[in-house]
Amino acid sequence: MTRPTAKAPTAATHAITSTPTPPSRRAPGSLTQVGGIEVGHFTDARRPTGCTVIIARHGAVGGVDVRGAAPGTRETDLLQPGNLVEQVHAIVLAGGSAWGLDAAGGAMRWLEEQGIGFDVGVGLVPIVPAAVLFDLPVGDARIRPDAEAGYRACAAASRQRPAEGNVGAGAGAVVGKLFGLHRAMKGGIGTASVTLQGVTVGALIACNALGDVVDPDSGRVLAGARTANGRALLDSRRAILRGEPLSPLLAGTNTTIGVIATDAVISKTQAQKLAQLAHDGLARSINPVHTLSDGDTLFALGTGQSGKTLGMMLLGTMAAEATARAVVRAVQAARGISVGALHLPAAAELAAPRARAAGPSR
């Protein structure tokens, strides 16, 4: 097994500690409730990073929509409706910035060993699009997902409800960085699903947003940039509109990525539209979103295993709802971490102080 060459972290500078977060009271469902979908995580114990693989063993119609201005992606052109390949076999979501795209090679190797892929006459070529997020500032940046990580995520895949929070592609995710990393909070990965008329639409989202995560129903900020003393949530949108100065931003150093899947029978064109509509869920739950410093990318898969069709109005509404719920789950399930002098609290850590807070938030 080939792993990245990295200097061993020292306890003084790179020790990672976690603060437990209680489970959500919501029963949100999951991406694996969609027939034909399996999910597996690989989390690198040497620092918070990893990858997540979404497998469709029997193939799935695929689509994609990229809204952020700084994406890191692989094999997205083939998902355009006018292009040849009709089905994909897995999607890889990874940390590690562009380095993390290597994880898709390991997923291909695992799928080929299982006899899964696009038949090209002389063999099978697994179709594995991928997207990455930027988690390099949290711990030793020389440690990032590679092909072996993608292989191991596939080996761990199952129909069980996926773990959430600080795992897989969400292991090193951080939210609310508009006013500096030292005032940000822990992001993560979350999942949810909606079922209507015998059809399920699910979402799995790794949230590493530049902006805040907000409750899509109430608009209340759940996690994001904190006040200067670090004890309360700032509300980035209102702070920007007040004219508060932002920290210098580097393009591509954030990004929310994910997969939406349904067991409805859909076409490749409809899969692309479903990915587009799912971004409405990001817009409801992240503010600001789709920025120049985010590479926000959503894939859509249709397994067709329900044998049913629904209109795109219903499927799109379900996709946006599942996506928004999965973003909320990502921060609800996250645990606070400390890496050297940097502490990134989880949403639950600020919940009690926020409830007691009175007076100005600055």
Side-chain angles (χ1 to χ4, degrees):
M1 178 176 79
T2 302
R3 302 298 297 157
T5 301
K7 190 176 180 179
T10 64
T13 58
H14 295 294
I16 300 170
T17 60
S18 296
T19 303
T21 299
S24 170
R25 296 176 185 174
R26 186 194 291 266
S30 76
L31 187 69
T32 51
Q33 289 192 349
V34 175
I37 295 295
E38 302 172 43
V39 174
H41 297 302
F42 171 80
T43 306
D44 198 319
R46 297 173 299 166
R47 88 165 177 95
T49 192
C51 63
T52 298
V53 177
I54 298 87
I55 297 175
R57 287 177 182 264
H58 303 292
V61 176
V64 67
D65 190 55
V66 180
R67 296 288 176 93
T73 57
R74 161 190 161 126
E75 295 275 50
T76 51
D77 283 352
L78 65 80
L79 296 176
Q80 298 305 312
N83 291 337
L84 174 66
V85 174
E86 287 293 325
Q87 293 195 322
V88 302
H89 306 103
I91 303 288
V92 171
L93 310 176
S97 189
W99 298 104
L101 291 171
D102 281 351
M108 286 187 68
R109 178 163 59 90
W110 186 89
L111 289 164
E112 183 184 27
E113 290 175 1
Q114 308 303 309
I116 298 169
F118 180 63
D119 190 348
V120 293
V122 294
L124 299 175
V125 178
I127 306 301
V128 185
V132 294
L133 54 79
F134 185 89
D135 60 4
L136 299 180
V138 185
D140 190 337
R142 294 168 296 178
I143 300 171
R144 53 253 178 172
D146 60 5
E148 183 65 20
Y151 187 96
R152 291 172 65 178
C154 287
S158 76
R159 295 295 311 281
Q160 300 288 325
R161 191 177 197 283
E164 299 174 283
N166 300 22
V167 295
V174 180
V175 298
K177 290 158 279 189
L178 280 160
F179 297 89
L181 188 63
H182 66 289
R183 290 171 63 178
M185 293 177 65
K186 188 68 184 71
I189 195 164
T191 187
S193 63
V194 178
T195 299
L196 182 65
Q197 298 179 25
V199 169
T200 298
V201 178
L204 182 78
I205 306 293
C207 185
N208 186 54
L210 178 68
D212 297 342
V213 173
V214 301
D215 184 321
D217 294 322
S218 68
R220 180 171 63 88
V221 178
L222 301 175
R226 292 174 287 150
T227 53
N229 65 12
R231 298 175 183 172
L233 289 162
L234 178 66
D235 192 328
S236 293
R237 178 176 66 90
R238 287 186 168 86
I240 291 169
L241 295 176
R242 285 196 300 267
E244 294 195 23
L246 303 175
S247 291
L249 303 176
L250 180 63
T253 54
N254 303 280
T255 299
T256 296
I257 52 180
V259 173
I260 291 84
T262 180
D263 52 17
V265 177
I266 60 174
S267 68
K268 197 173 178 182
T269 299
Q270 289 173 319
Q272 183 185 49
K273 190 62 180 177
L274 197 64
Q276 294 171 354
L277 294 171
H279 274 280
D280 292 349
L282 294 188
R284 294 172 196 165
S285 56
I286 301 172
N287 198 335
V289 70
H290 303 144
T291 75
L292 289 173
S293 294
D294 287 289
D296 301 331
T297 300
L298 295 180
F299 297 96
L301 299 175
T303 68
Q305 288 206 2
S306 73
K308 299 180 179 181
T309 59
L310 287 182
M312 287 303 297
M313 177 63 71
L314 290 181
L315 287 177
T317 301
M318 295 163 73
E321 182 67 18
T323 299
R325 292 183 188 180
V327 171
V328 170
R329 282 293 308 165
V331 296
Q332 287 178 332
R335 305 181 307 279
I337 65 170
S338 293
V339 183
L342 176 66
H343 179 63
L344 298 167
E349 292 181 57
L350 267 64
R354 181 169 68 244
R356 295 193 300 266
S361 61
R362 295 183 61 185

